[in-house]
């Protein structure tokens, strides 16, 4: 398979290694820091708008290789590609249950374990050596960081970022676009657009608090 990466920073380099580990080829690294399309050593470099040309020219699939969830969603919306143009990348050293389902545009890093009946959305990052246990649901554009443990029956909403080494105990729900700090242990449901840290995890910021702070600055 030929792959076009949207983004050319550290996270994109990690995804490129994933692609290569599977015997596939990165044929383009597109980023708006490049002003013109140019080919160097069998790889295209250019602005993200070049993706439409290169999909047809190279017969390639696309991965949005951006670590920030909101930016990744914004780029997917801007590119407006049909689902068929996106790849799903699973590192050869990851273990994914045959009964698990993974969305398009999702990347599974080395050492990841995804267990039975887990459902992973589109454009999700499952980072190095994390565990997604049975019957979990991970929403679109989520990013689960290295070493995290998502135990059975957990629901993780769209755009959630779970920090490195965090643990979520069984059947809990983390609302959309929330952030769980590194090393935290989630033992209660977390409302959407919240930030929670600590052992056990406590909410330190909510959407309402963020809006209130913004209003005071106006």
């Amino acid at each position: 398979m030929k792959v076009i990466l949207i983004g050319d920073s550290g996270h994109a380099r990690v995804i490129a290694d994933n692609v290569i580990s599977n015997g596939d080829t990165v044929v383009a690294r597109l980023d708006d820091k490049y002003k013109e399309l140019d080919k160097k050593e069998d790889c295209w470099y250019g602005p993200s708008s070049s993706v439409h040309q290169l999909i047809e020219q190279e017969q390639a699939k696309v991965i949005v290789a951006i670590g920030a969830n909101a930016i990744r969603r914004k780029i997917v919306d801007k590119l407006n590609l049909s689902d068929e143009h996106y790849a799903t990348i699973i590192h050869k050293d990851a273990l994914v249950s045959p009964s698990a389902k993974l969305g398009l545009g999702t990347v599974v890093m080395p050492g990841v374990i995804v267990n039975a009946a887990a459902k992973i959305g589109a454009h999700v990052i499952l980072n190095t050596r994390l565990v997604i246990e049975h019957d979990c649901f991970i929403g679109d554009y989520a990013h689960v960081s290295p070493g995290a443990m998502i135990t059975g029956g957990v629901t993780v909403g769209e755009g959630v970022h779970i920090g490195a080494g965090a643990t979520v105990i069984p059947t809990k729900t983390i609302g959309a676009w929330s952030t769980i700090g590194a090393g935290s242990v989630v033992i209660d449901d977390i409302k959407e657009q919240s930030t929670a840290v600590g052992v056990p995890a406590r909410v330190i910021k909510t959407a309402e608090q963020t809006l209130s702070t913004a209003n005071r600055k106006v």
Side-chain angles (χ1 to χ4, degrees):
M1 178 172 62
K2 296 179 179 179
V3 179
I4 296 168
L5 300 183
I6 307 296
D8 190 23
S9 60
H11 182 65
R13 290 193 290 274
V14 174
I15 293 181
D17 285 349
N18 274 24
V19 172
I20 294 166
S21 80
N22 295 335
D24 297 322
T25 304
V26 176
V27 296
R29 300 171 186 249
L30 304 181
D31 193 295
D32 288 342
K33 67 184 178 183
Y34 302 118
K35 301 305 179 184
E36 297 180 355
L37 187 62
D38 187 28
K39 194 170 190 180
K40 300 176 183 178
E41 299 179 355
D42 297 323
C43 185
W44 291 99
Y45 295 83
S48 58
S49 58
S50 304
V51 66
H52 301 88
Q53 171 190 336
L54 293 176
I55 284 174
E56 300 301 327
Q57 182 176 317
E58 297 288 344
Q59 294 296 295
K61 299 289 187 179
V62 177
I63 288 288
V64 178
I66 301 293
N69 298 346
I71 296 175
R72 193 162 64 259
R73 186 178 73 170
K74 183 178 180 180
I75 291 173
V76 169
D77 290 345
K78 181 180 178 181
L79 294 178
N80 196 30
L81 299 173
S82 60
D83 289 345
E84 67 189 34
H85 291 307
Y86 285 104
T88 299
I89 305 297
I90 304 173
H91 193 280
K92 64 182 181 62
D93 293 331
L95 178 61
V96 178
S97 168
S99 64
K101 296 182 179 180
L102 274 65
L104 293 169
T106 286
V107 177
V108 182
M109 303 294 190
V112 167
I113 298 174
V114 180
N115 274 326
K119 295 181 180 180
I120 313 300
H123 306 287
V124 171
I125 300 168
L126 298 184
N127 225 317
T128 310
R129 296 192 181 280
L130 61 80
V131 176
I132 306 292
E133 266 297 349
H134 65 89
D135 299 294
C136 286
F137 174 81
I138 310 296
D140 297 346
Y141 303 104
H143 181 172
V144 186
S145 296
M149 171 68 75
I150 312 302
T151 60
V154 167
T155 297
V156 174
E158 179 181 275
V160 168
H161 186 186
I162 297 178
T167 298
V168 185
I169 71 168
T171 73
K172 298 308 173 185
T173 295
I174 300 176
W177 299 99
S178 290
T179 299
I180 306 301
S184 298
V185 177
V186 177
I187 64 171
D188 297 304
D189 292 345
I190 303 295
K191 293 183 178 180
E192 64 181 23
Q193 299 185 61
S194 299
T195 299
V197 300
V199 182
R202 295 286 182 257
V203 173
I204 61 170
K205 184 184 292 186
T206 65
E208 290 81 3
Q209 289 171 331
T210 300
L211 180 61
S212 176
T213 298
N215 289 337
R216 287 199 299 270
K217 292 180 179 180
V218 174

